[in-house]
Amino acid sequence: MTQKERRLYLITELLKEDKGSAGFKLGLVPGNEGGFVIPDDEKSQRDILRALMNIRGPYSISEDFLRIQDEYLQQVNKERGITDIADLSPTERNPKLYLWQGDITTLKVDAIVNAANSALLGCFAPLHACIDNCIHTFAGIQLRLACNELMQKQGHEEGTGLCKITPAFNLPSRYVLHTVGPIIYTSVGPREKLLLENCYKNCLETASQNLLESVAFCCISTGVFRFPQDLAAQIAVETVEMWLTENPDSSVKKVVFNVFGNKDLEIYQGLLL
């Protein structure tokens, strides 16, 4: 199958699942025999497929679908470009610390960190630009299924500052570490600082328990959770450095601070370079 054939197959199968209600939710134009009109251009098709994956609940699907989805996503991720941590240089401040600007879903490391919400099922908003949405999109629908299995066993929402680990499925990383950062409603107090510290500590502890060597952190809580970027970066660097110092025999030897925007890059450059 070509990539277009795979994409159209995946879209069609997802639209069939709930007798078309997903198509109506996304505002697609109804077509013949109860189907929908799928635009012919690649960008529109990519957006429709991503949106359908975003809103899909955590329920099982056929092995044929997963096989074709995996073939499709692995090619997409290859085309997006993959950065291997082996090709990065450590910072001047600490040979175990790295700073990298880019899309964390294209980074080949043992584990990337996802800034999750307390439901731990990913972002259900179609085409939302948050890291949670991006990670679930390019990992594939298996990631939501794996997260749902963890949460069903747990029986309650994930606590702030804790960490869960899942496979990364179609991402270039091996695993995803899911952590819920603190939400800032008014101002940052001692409790919020401690909770953010715990995000970093528990992710590193989980990585170490699973014998992982490299971990890439996003800027936890600094987006819609409204933690001030400067303070969050300071806590991140200090917490990671302290943990590495206190755990010299850990399997974790390389920690990447991943930034996307230029402001975060400048902040981390000031701390690390």
Side-chain angles (χ1 to χ4, degrees):
M1 297 176 75
T2 66
Q3 278 295 81
K4 183 174 182 178
E5 289 170 338
R6 293 185 182 109
R7 188 165 54 244
L8 289 173
Y9 168 85
L10 297 172
I11 291 171
T12 302
E13 291 300 305
L14 291 175
L15 287 171
K16 285 179 184 176
E17 274 190 328
D18 52 8
K19 298 181 180 179
S21 66
F24 288 111
K25 287 178 184 176
L26 299 179
L28 299 183
V29 178
N32 297 327
E33 300 179 359
F36 291 88
V37 176
I38 302 173
D40 193 53
D41 66 286
E42 181 176 342
K43 183 183 184 306
S44 295
Q45 290 179 6
R46 282 177 177 259
D47 287 348
I48 290 169
L49 177 56
R50 176 171 178 168
L52 288 168
M53 292 171 66
N54 294 159
I55 66 176
R56 186 183 190 273
Y59 38 86
S60 61
I61 199 165
S62 72
E63 289 298 319
D64 282 343
F65 180 94
L66 294 178
R67 175 179 56 81
I68 293 172
Q69 176 215 240
D70 291 353
E71 292 171 355
Y72 176 76
L73 286 177
Q74 286 165 24
Q75 181 62 31
V76 166
N77 288 332
K78 184 185 296 185
E79 291 170 356
R80 294 168 67 229
I82 294 172
T83 299
D84 194 321
I85 189 174
D87 297 325
L88 302 182
S89 300
T91 63
E92 297 176 5
R93 172 169 173 149
N94 188 319
K96 292 184 177 182
L97 301 183
Y98 294 72
L99 175 61
W100 181 70
Q101 184 179 28
D103 183 341
I104 200 169
T105 64
T106 66
L107 189 57
K108 185 178 181 181
V109 290
D110 286 339
I112 61 172
V113 174
N114 179 27
N117 57 52
S118 59
L120 219 72
L121 296 180
C123 171
F124 283 83
L127 306 180
H128 195 253
C130 70
I131 189 171
D132 199 12
N133 187 297
C134 293
I135 287 174
H136 277 263
T137 293
F138 294 107
I141 64 173
Q142 298 101 312
L143 184 55
R144 181 166 285 165
L145 299 178
C147 288
N148 183 61
E149 184 177 349
L150 291 174
M151 297 307 287
Q152 290 297 314
K153 289 179 180 178
Q154 178 165 286
H156 56 82
E157 290 192 335
E158 183 74 346
T160 304
L162 303 180
C163 176
K164 292 283 192 298
I165 186 170
T166 65
F169 299 101
N170 291 293
L171 296 172
S173 60
R174 295 170 55 204
Y175 296 95
V176 178
L177 301 171
H178 307 262
T179 190
V180 182
I183 301 173
I184 306 304
Y185 294 101
T186 53
S187 60
V188 178
R191 180 176 180 275
E192 288 76 20
K193 293 179 183 179
L194 179 61
L195 288 171
L196 186 59
E197 289 176 14
N198 287 342
C199 288
Y200 288 91
K201 289 179 182 177
N202 285 322
C203 284
L204 291 169
E205 288 289 349
T206 302
S208 183
Q209 290 165 8
N210 287 273
L211 303 179
L212 307 185
E213 180 179 317
S214 56
V215 178
F217 283 101
C218 61
C219 300
I220 302 168
S221 279
T222 58
V224 295
F225 283 14
R226 299 180 296 275
F227 207 107
Q229 291 164 270
D230 295 80
L231 180 57
Q234 180 183 341
I235 290 172
V237 172
E238 291 177 356
T239 303
V240 169
E241 279 199 314
M242 182 174 295
W243 189 92
L244 290 172
T245 299
E246 293 175 349
N247 297 273
D249 298 326
S250 166
S251 63
V252 180
K253 305 301 181 186
K254 300 178 180 181
V255 176
V256 181
F257 293 106
N258 164 245
V259 297
F260 193 74
N262 290 331
K263 181 178 180 181
D264 282 317
L265 177 63
E266 292 174 3
I267 292 170
Y268 273 91
Q269 283 177 332
L271 292 169
L272 293 170
L273 304 183

